[in-house]
Amino acid sequence: MRVLSGIQPSGKLHLGNYLGAIRQHIELQHEHPNDALYFIANYHSLTTVRDPELLRQLTRDVALDYLALGLDPTKAMLFRQSDIPEVTELAWILATVTGKGLLERAHSYKDKIARGIAPSMGLMSYPLLMAADILIYRSNLVPVGRDQVQHIEMTQDMAGYFNNTYKCDILVRPEPRLNNAHVVPGIDGQKMSKSYGNTIDLFDAPKPTRKRIMSIKTDSTSVEDPKNPESCNVFALLRLLASKDEITEWEQRYRAGGMGYGDAKKRVAELYEETFGQARDRREKLASDPDSVEDILVEGAKRARTIAREVMHDVRNACGLVIAPELHP
Ligand code: ADP
Ligand code: TRP
């Protein structure tokens, strides 16, 4: 069972990224040792990041973030997307068997345009490249947040179009895998997202992080009155960070009244520090040793590329593309 996911280097990682995606990536490396692939989707980020030094910086940052958060390079392959140029070739081949209507239906394309991102062909073709990322490794399971599920469904369709067109079963149908943090709220209660300016970032210093947490929006119920945990943004974070017993305790405290939102926020800030404090220290150490981080990425890419090359060999054969072996050792 092969697990694969990608994360775009397009800004600082935040709690929504961690709880919605990264946490399960790290967990799955233990369940599927040597068969988990995680890549830094830098070709994808070209649709939004147009500053080369910034893209290089953000790419390094994602590698540091993942390693600091517990990605173990002896278990999972961590690599840059651009070290596997074959994915762009597969994306083109998928484009030739995919109807344009499928891409026009993508929610994320419509959302991004609505947010003012230029509607380039790259943005429109994004699901083709994402499908290629998944199919080129014959991935079975793709852990993502809910907003990415439509892209996985499109990938399933594209695998079918290719296999039907060329009467083969080379491309494997992947399944999405969601965890319990479908939508993590930001400090204003909307979905936490870089583009809404409402994030709690993973590796900010403790003080500003605490300040952000203390500023989470709550309703005006007074301290004495009972409160509804289900509609509270702070409780939503407690539920994702605390142990089961502690969640039950907070639920009771909310319903009983006599508790202020400030207490719940303070506890979220503590849990945040307990969860990410050590990772912050690890990240600092890693950042001072860029060569070993580079070695990890190169090693990951070598292993991933072996798989990608095998699949591309079969794909080219199936559709009649000839390449000279002496030019492609
Ligand atoms: P952003 O919305 O900040 O730009 P991305 O779109 O880069 O975040 O998301 C990267 C990954 O993190 C995706 O798998 C996405 O589903 C997940 N993710 C992002 N924000 C959230 C959130 N608020 N709740 C749950 N998952 C999220
Ligand atoms: N589109 C994903 C996001 O914005 C990132 C991504 C690119 C991805 N290729 C992928 C995720 C392949 C899973 C599988 O978060």
Side-chain angles (χ1 to χ4, degrees):
M1 176 75 82
R2 181 163 292 152
V3 180
L4 167 128
S5 198
I7 188 119
Q8 283 199 66
S10 55
K12 282 188 185 172
L13 292 183
H14 55 71
L15 190 60
N17 298 140
Y18 179 73
L19 296 170
I22 303 169
R23 181 159 70 178
Q24 57 169 346
H25 297 168
I26 310 273
E27 282 164 10
L28 284 165
Q29 73 181 350
H30 301 295
E31 285 172 42
H32 305 278
N34 291 317
D35 226 359
L37 294 89
Y38 299 120
F39 67 93
I40 308 167
N42 53 355
Y43 282 135
H44 284 278
S45 286
L46 288 178
T47 57
T48 50
V49 181
R50 284 340 182 356
D51 171 342
E53 192 38 53
L54 179 63
L55 185 60
R56 280 188 278 268
Q57 179 62 48
L58 292 170
T59 306
R60 279 192 292 270
D61 281 350
V62 175
L64 290 176
D65 293 342
Y66 262 74
L67 292 167
L69 289 166
L71 184 127
D72 178 350
T74 65
K75 294 216 165 97
M77 294 164 238
L78 178 69
F79 56 99
R80 284 177 291 249
Q81 187 183 28
S82 53
D83 278 323
I84 321 289
E86 287 83 1
V87 288
T88 58
E89 182 185 354
L90 182 57
W92 170 255
I93 295 171
L94 293 174
T96 64
V97 294
T98 302
K100 156 169 165 286
L102 186 83
L103 298 177
E104 282 165 351
R105 285 194 291 277
H107 306 309
S108 96
Y109 176 67
K110 292 184 215 160
D111 290 350
K112 285 180 178 166
I113 292 179
R115 283 194 244 146
I117 299 176
S120 63
M121 282 308 296
L123 197 64
M124 170 119 226
S125 315
Y126 190 109
L128 290 165
L129 183 56
M130 181 156 164
D133 290 329
I134 297 169
L135 298 172
I136 205 162
Y137 307 107
R138 297 203 165 102
S139 316
N140 305 107
L141 212 58
V142 187
V144 282
R146 192 162 58 189
D147 56 331
Q148 295 296 322
V149 170
Q150 191 193 28
H151 288 152
I152 316 287
E153 289 165 356
M154 290 176 153
T155 304
Q156 295 172 338
D157 291 344
M158 290 181 214
Y161 302 149
F162 180 88
N163 289 346
N164 287 338
T165 303
Y166 294 107
K167 314 264 174 302
C168 64
D169 54 6
I170 293 170
L171 298 182
V172 172
R173 183 187 161 91
E175 295 297 332
R177 165 143 161 183
L178 289 169
N179 68 359
N180 61 350
H182 297 321
V183 182
V184 178
I187 57 170
D188 59 355
Q190 284 191 82
K191 178 196 161 196
M192 187 179 290
S193 168
K194 311 187 250 306
S195 29
Y196 302 150
N198 63 357
T199 59
I200 303 172
D201 291 337
L202 286 186
F203 294 112
D204 258 359
K207 252 197 174 162
T209 302
R210 193 181 165 85
K211 220 169 144 194
R212 287 294 270 180
I213 293 171
M214 296 311 288
S215 72
I216 296 172
K217 197 168 143 195
T218 47
D219 64 26
S220 54
T221 318
S222 66
V223 173
E224 314 75 70
D225 288 333
K227 300 173 180 58
N228 181 4
E230 299 309 325
S231 60
C232 176
N233 299 323
V234 186
F235 185 79
L237 297 183
L238 275 174
R239 178 178 270 156
L240 292 165
L241 292 170
S243 68
K244 257 198 184 142
D245 288 349
E246 189 178 344
I247 298 169
T248 314
E249 220 175 275
W250 279 103
E251 211 165 353
Q252 285 161 357
R253 289 185 65 186
Y254 265 75
R255 297 200 194 280
M259 177 218 76
Y261 287 122
D263 293 346
K265 288 179 185 178
K266 276 189 201 140
R267 184 60 190 140
V268 170
E270 278 171 21
L271 285 166
Y272 206 88
E273 200 44 37
E274 282 168 27
T275 314
F276 300 113
Q278 282 182 355
R280 190 188 297 121
D281 298 343
R282 268 200 301 273
R283 193 181 188 286
E284 257 170 45
K285 274 205 196 100
L286 284 161
S288 65
D289 187 7
D291 290 348
S292 21
V293 176
E294 181 61 21
D295 289 348
I296 289 170
L297 294 177
V298 170
E299 195 45 44
K302 275 188 192 157
R303 289 163 67 198
R305 199 165 185 204
T306 305
I307 307 169
R309 282 189 155 147
E310 277 168 24
V311 174
M312 281 315 291
H313 173 84
D314 293 352
V315 165
R316 290 189 201 105
N317 253 347
C319 49
L321 286 170
V322 180
I323 61 167
E326 60 270 36
L327 296 178
H328 303 270

